[in-house]
Amino acid sequence: MTTDYDVLIIGSGASGGMAAHTLTKLGVSCLMLDAGPLLDFDRDKSLKAVYDLPYRGFGEPGRFPHVTQASEFDANLWADEKQNPYTYDPKDPYYWVRIRMIGGKTLRWGRASWRLSDFEFKGKDHDGQGDNWPVSLKDLSPYYDRAEPMFRVSGRKEGWPQLPDGIFLADESRDSLSVQRFLDSARKMQVPTTKQRRSTGSLASSVNLLLPDALVTGKLKIVPNAIVREISVDKDTGRANGAHFVDRLSKRDFFAPAKAVVVGASCLESTRLLLNSKSRQHPNGLANSSGVLGHYLFDQFYVKNVVTAIVPEARGGKAPRNLMGGGGYIPRFRNLADREKNFVRGYAYDFGSGGTPSAKYIPLYGEALLKELAELQNTAFSLTTMGETLPRFEHHVRINPNVKDEWGIPSLHITQRYTDNEYAMAKDSMNVAEELCKGAGFEVLSKHFEMVPPGESIHELGTCRMGANPKTSVLNGFNQTHDIRNLFVMDGSSFVSGGSQNPTLTILALSMRASEYLAEGMRKGEI
Amino acid sequence: MKRRLAIQSLLGLPGISALPMLAQQAPTDKTKPPSTEKLPPELKPAPIDEFPKLAVIRPDAVVAGETNFLSASQSETLRHLAGLLVPASGGRAGATEAGAPEFLDFLIGRSPAPRQKLYRAGLDKLEGDARHRYSKSFSSLTAAEADSLLAALHQPWSQQGPADELGRFLEAAKEDMLRATMNSREFLASGGQRRASGLGTYWHALD
Ligand SMILES: Cc1cc2nc3c(=O)[nH]c(=O)nc-3n(C[C@H](O)[C@H](O)[C@H](O)COP(=O)(O)OP(=O)(O)OC[C@H]3O[C@@H](n4cnc5c(N)ncnc54)[C@H](O)[C@@H]3O)c2cc1C
């Protein structure tokens, strides 16, 4: 039995989930295909002791060479790297982190939710670097205003131009004494600080915040285990008319027809799908007349624990109850007014108080180490840097026809490396973090500026970039492909730049805006 | 078996003629099951619609794992190193009591080749250094003698890590040994509680 749906949505994570939520509320019927299964939150999890796991919490060796976030407890949630291979030049490793399940990566995300500002949307106007987006903060603000309450984002308003305020559940929590000392140190160095802005609740995913409402409209059907291999185009009209997919379990092939197609399979999977959707009319992949599809891959670079310090007064369990705990965020503060450093753009930090520093930072072993670890319990204060990565044409993905996934679909070859600008920023961030900690009277235990490999921040962006000019971009400002009017790409691949803010709130806002545009276009018969 | 035999031997007794009927009862039968109240507790048949959950245990909680990755000499070196890196302390199990060296033999034996090489070469180097400097096996060194070979563990942490292979091995072994110990049943049961007794939410494999 075949039903014709108005819109086919590929992917059920942040972007696909928001598309379904928005479109169905506007009366548009949608079929959603997702490559992965549906989690059953009652059946699929249980409480276990770490010593009851086969590998004592180390995880099966070699199972996830690129997913440093995977633990033995949650290993079954991450996309299997053998079934879903990809390649890179061994000199430039790329860590591609995927979740293939209904809900996508929103099942495990850290929930940090920041708006981008016109320092990103109109970055070129500010410093001449890169390209402007075809949208501004003003265009996106009404959508951020709606996405934040939906995702129950908590935070504190600050009135900063580089980190626009939003509609928050007010975070009025008191800071611990160690955090207060750190904030004072930052104030003296004129470094701004704020509370985290995070989506709250015991689950903050597309599966509980977006898809249930969409299903209630009766306008959405969700098919799990449906791996889309190709988007098809009507030869006569040039319009997208559906997608070919394979059932993950039976490997049976299907075709899903639709009047319009929304791709939200996450940045690199969406790009792979478009590149794999080749035909005589589209020899370089779909929506790629510009030749930039797959190019300008970027993310945010991370220096995890750029500085780890200890709060000396907390040694030996002597901390008063309100000394340790809590944390916060430092937004970009570099290059806002003038070019002030040997790099362009800037970086942010997460900081946190509490916990025991890793044993690797303590140059002891045996009884002495155990004593020192006991002494240092709940004394740690650490910062992680998240910095802007510049999009570059040469950082790209292409299809590797020689390596196919379990379902015979050609995989990606990924090329991205960090360059001098990122290295200079990482080093600066280490020095500033050290000064901030010393200013607070903390003992610095370790400092470094080694960035994690590209991809590991799980903020891959840019490979279907937006732009006003169809010759130099894939999408217009409404996430609509320049080449095919009824084909939209609504995830992070549409970003033109990313700042140092985590991207998901912006993905949600973009997807909501693009979906309203699509629904309106369909209503008027223009799409 | 014991339970069934015991139940059968009671069939002649007054008041329990209902037992054979119980056996014929279909699970959907809504009639009131006959009373078994008078039976001693160990002879009471299980409720007819109960799906029991039996307590089971992992093998390494009851028996030792076989070691078959490292050579006999490497194993001996690792065992001695384990006692030095994470000794039993303050009533808590150490690496030896936690079976950490045997567990690491298994874990490293399953690990990618570079990790295996790091361990094998590191253990051989320790043994070679011990023979060269003290003319005896690493496993017979006193703590003070061994300390002179473990100098890398007294170096402050750096971004680049230790320059030599022995240093890199010792850094890895220190972390692995600590983790294998602290995540063990023995350590957690001996009061060395870490993160709510090591409990976590485990996600089962999906179809
Ligand atoms: C551990 C972790 C922490 C994170 N922390 C943060 C954070 O704090 N803040 C933040 O902003 N972001 C964070 N992120 C990133 C965030 O999760 C992503 O930005 C967001 O989920 C992206 O949404 P998406 O719709 O593009 O992709 P996803 O959420 O990944 O969804 C894509 C979906 O598409 C499906 N799919 C893929 N290929 C196909 C195909 N061929 N056919 C059909 N379906 C397909 C997948 O199964 C998946 O369900 C984090 C991610 C992780 C994993």
Side-chain angles (χ1 to χ4, degrees):
Chain A
M1 186 204 70
T2 300
T3 313
D4 262 3
Y5 292 89
D6 293 333
V7 176
L8 176 68
I9 301 173
I10 302 166
S12 64
S15 55
M18 182 57 91
H21 189 275
T22 310
L23 288 165
T24 54
K25 289 226 155 165
L26 294 170
V28 179
S29 71
C30 298
L31 177 67
M32 173 178 274
L33 304 178
D34 195 282
L38 175 68
L39 264 185
D40 178 327
F41 287 86
D42 295 323
R43 190 196 58 196
D44 297 331
K45 67 179 180 11
S46 58
L47 216 53
K48 277 199 186 194
V50 66
Y51 49 74
D52 278 336
L53 303 177
Y55 300 94
R56 273 195 202 184
F58 281 76
E60 185 184 337
R63 180 168 172 194
F64 290 111
H66 304 99
V67 186
T68 56
Q69 297 81 1
S71 78
E72 194 171 350
F73 284 101
D74 70 5
N76 291 317
L77 297 184
W78 305 88
D80 184 295
E81 294 202 39
K82 291 198 180 77
Q83 289 185 330
N84 300 282
Y86 66 99
T87 55
Y88 49 75
D89 185 327
K91 289 197 317 294
D92 295 314
Y94 188 89
Y95 282 25
W96 189 11
V97 179
R98 291 157 289 174
I99 292 183
R100 285 191 153 208
M101 286 189 175
I102 302 291
K105 295 192 291 290
T106 65
L107 291 168
R108 298 309 270 172
W109 71 311
R111 304 154 174 226
S113 299
W114 312 98
R115 294 185 179 201
L116 294 185
S117 73
D118 280 335
F119 282 99
E120 286 78 42
F121 294 123
K122 302 296 170 195
K124 187 175 184 181
D125 292 349
H126 180 63
D127 59 14
Q129 173 68 42
D131 291 298
N132 286 335
W133 293 52
V135 295
S136 65
L137 177 63
K138 192 158 163 270
D139 297 320
L140 219 50
S141 282
Y143 301 92
Y144 280 133
D145 285 352
R146 284 154 63 194
E148 280 153 347
M150 278 166 88
F151 273 71
R152 307 174 301 217
V153 175
S154 74
R156 190 173 72 196
K157 295 192 181 192
E158 303 287 0
W160 294 324
Q162 78 274 34
L163 194 72
D165 288 335
I167 312 289
F168 304 137
L169 303 172
D171 182 346
E172 284 157 0
S173 58
R174 285 191 48 189
D175 292 314
S176 67
L177 293 174
S178 59
V179 168
Q180 286 178 31
R181 271 162 59 181
F182 184 81
L183 301 184
D184 286 343
S185 171
R187 209 168 297 127
K188 282 186 201 129
M189 287 174 62
Q190 297 182 332
V191 169
T193 55
T194 186
K195 294 278 186 192
Q196 287 288 352
R197 292 180 189 167
R198 271 192 208 293
S199 176
T200 56
S202 39
L203 182 67
S205 164
S206 152
V207 298
N208 64 322
L209 301 179
L210 299 173
L211 298 177
D213 283 354
L215 284 169
V216 163
T217 64
K219 292 278 179 188
L220 174 68
K221 292 276 181 286
I222 304 175
V223 182
N225 302 310
I227 304 173
V228 179
R229 57 165 87 248
E230 188 183 339
I231 295 165
S232 86
V233 173
D234 185 301
K235 284 195 195 71
D236 302 325
T237 63
R239 291 164 57 88
N241 61 5
H244 297 276
F245 69 96
V246 54
D247 179 67
R248 185 176 69 90
L249 300 167
S250 66
K251 298 196 173 165
R252 185 173 169 195
D253 289 319
F254 292 89
F255 178 71
K259 299 190 186 97
V261 176
V262 167
V263 190
S266 79
C267 174
L268 294 183
E269 287 291 7
S270 293
T271 308
R272 176 183 174 206
L273 182 55
L274 294 179
L275 287 169
N276 270 329
S277 300
K278 278 196 293 200
S279 61
R280 216 142 50 87
Q281 291 102 317
H282 303 281
N284 301 319
L286 219 50
N288 193 18
S289 62
S290 64
V292 303
L293 177 64
H295 290 269
Y296 296 103
L297 170 63
F298 66 97
D299 59 1
Q300 272 119 19
F301 74 80
Y302 271 40
V303 184
K304 288 187 180 165
N305 298 322
V306 63
V307 164
T308 299
I310 58 168
V311 179
E313 295 77 5
R315 267 185 173 271
K318 296 203 189 75
R321 258 215 345 228
N322 56 349
L323 178 60
M324 299 301 294
Y329 182 81
I330 295 177
R332 172 177 165 187
F333 55 95
R334 288 292 189 214
N335 299 317
L336 291 176
D338 299 304
R339 173 96 184 251
E340 51 172 333
K341 282 279 156 189
N342 60 338
F343 54 82
V344 294
R345 306 289 165 95
Y347 55 84
Y349 299 103
D350 276 336
F351 59 86
S353 160
T356 308
S358 165
K360 75 177 172 194
Y361 298 136
I362 304 170
L364 295 170
Y365 71 92
E367 185 76 33
L369 174 64
L370 296 174
K371 280 219 175 87
E372 185 67 358
L373 282 173
E375 188 66 20
L376 294 182
Q377 252 183 38
N378 199 28
T379 60
F381 196 104
S382 63
L383 292 94
T384 286
T385 310
M386 298 147 302
E388 177 156 357
T389 303
L390 298 179
R392 297 178 191 275
F393 181 83
E394 61 273 23
H395 293 166
H396 72 285
V397 298
R398 62 173 167 79
I399 296 298
N400 181 346
N402 303 319
V403 178
K404 295 189 172 148
D405 69 15
E406 171 87 8
W407 299 270
I409 306 172
S411 65
L412 282 183
H413 184 85
I414 307 178
T415 304
Q416 192 195 343
R417 65 185 72 92
Y418 292 136
T419 59
D420 290 349
N421 201 61
E422 288 90 35
Y423 279 101
M425 247 195 261
K427 198 161 183 188
D428 185 61
S429 81
M430 176 184 78
N431 293 333
V432 172
E434 184 181 22
E435 244 187 287
L436 286 167
C437 286
K438 286 188 169 161
F442 305 159
E443 264 172 46
V444 171
L445 209 55
S446 70
K447 57 173 186 168
H448 74 105
F449 61 97
E450 190 174 339
M451 293 175 273
V452 299
E456 195 180 322
S457 65
I458 328 182
H459 294 165
E460 58 277 12
L461 301 165
T463 44
C464 302
R465 61 176 8 209
M466 286 183 172
N469 183 352
K471 293 212 165 66
T472 55
S473 58
V474 179
L475 307 171
N476 67 17
F478 288 98
N479 295 68
Q480 181 181 31
T481 63
H482 290 300
D483 295 356
I484 300 174
R485 288 185 65 75
N486 67 339
L487 175 63
F488 287 69
V489 184
M490 296 196 183
D491 54 40
S493 61
S494 61
F495 280 38
V496 182
S497 62
S500 40
Q501 298 94 313
N502 312 49
T504 307
L505 185 69
T506 302
I507 294 175
L508 291 166
L510 285 171
S511 173
M512 189 193 286
R513 179 169 179 267
S515 299
E516 288 191 358
Y517 175 84
L518 168 59
E520 182 61 8
M522 290 182 98
R523 194 184 63 77
K524 289 187 184 154
E526 290 169 2
I527 294 177
Chain B
M1 188 67 173
K2 210 167 149 193
R3 175 186 184 136
R4 193 192 303 158
L5 286 177
I7 291 173
Q8 280 171 356
S9 74
L10 286 171
L11 283 177
L13 297 179
I16 50 167
S17 56
L19 268 178
M21 219 181 88
L22 196 72
Q24 291 157 11
Q25 238 167 8
T28 48
D29 190 346
K30 294 278 184 310
T31 57
K32 198 166 169 259
S35 165
T36 54
E37 259 166 33
K38 292 197 182 116
L39 286 174
E42 69 274 17
L43 300 181
K44 277 195 186 163
I48 203 150
D49 51 1
E50 188 181 88
F51 298 92
K53 283 202 170 126
L54 302 183
V56 292
I57 195 154
R58 288 198 55 76
D60 52 3
V62 280
V63 292
E66 292 184 0
T67 55
N68 41 30
F69 167 63
L70 297 171
S71 69
S73 149
Q74 289 164 345
S75 282
E76 225 177 294
T77 305
L78 185 65
R79 286 206 179 95
H80 192 58
L81 182 63
L84 296 166
L85 290 179
V86 193
S89 164
R92 292 177 314 187
T96 307
E97 296 74 26
E102 293 76 19
F103 170 75
L104 287 180
D105 180 287
F106 153 72
L107 186 82
I108 306 301
R110 297 291 169 83
S111 295
R115 190 118 183 117
Q116 296 191 343
K117 187 167 163 277
L118 185 72
Y119 263 74
R120 282 198 160 122
L123 291 167
D124 288 345
K125 177 92 172 84
L126 276 183
E127 178 63 10
D129 286 357
R131 295 222 173 257
H132 184 247
R133 199 171 306 175
Y134 298 104
S135 305
K136 52 184 175 178
S137 158
F138 183 79
S139 59
S140 354
L141 296 187
T142 63
E145 287 167 342
D147 189 56
S148 68
L149 306 184
L150 304 180
L153 293 177
H154 295 300
Q155 296 303 312
W157 179 87
S158 77
Q159 178 172 327
Q160 298 75 27
D164 64 314
E165 207 170 34
L166 178 61
R168 286 198 297 279
F169 160 68
L170 288 173
E171 196 171 73
K174 171 180 148 179
E175 270 198 60
D176 289 348
M177 203 63 81
L178 261 178
R179 192 167 176 201
T181 305
M182 290 183 168
N183 284 357
S184 71
R185 182 186 296 269
E186 291 76 9
F187 182 84
L188 291 161
S190 62
Q193 298 224 335
R194 213 174 58 126
R195 273 186 278 123
S197 316
L199 282 182
T201 301
Y202 179 79
W203 292 91
H204 300 275
L206 272 77
D207 268 350

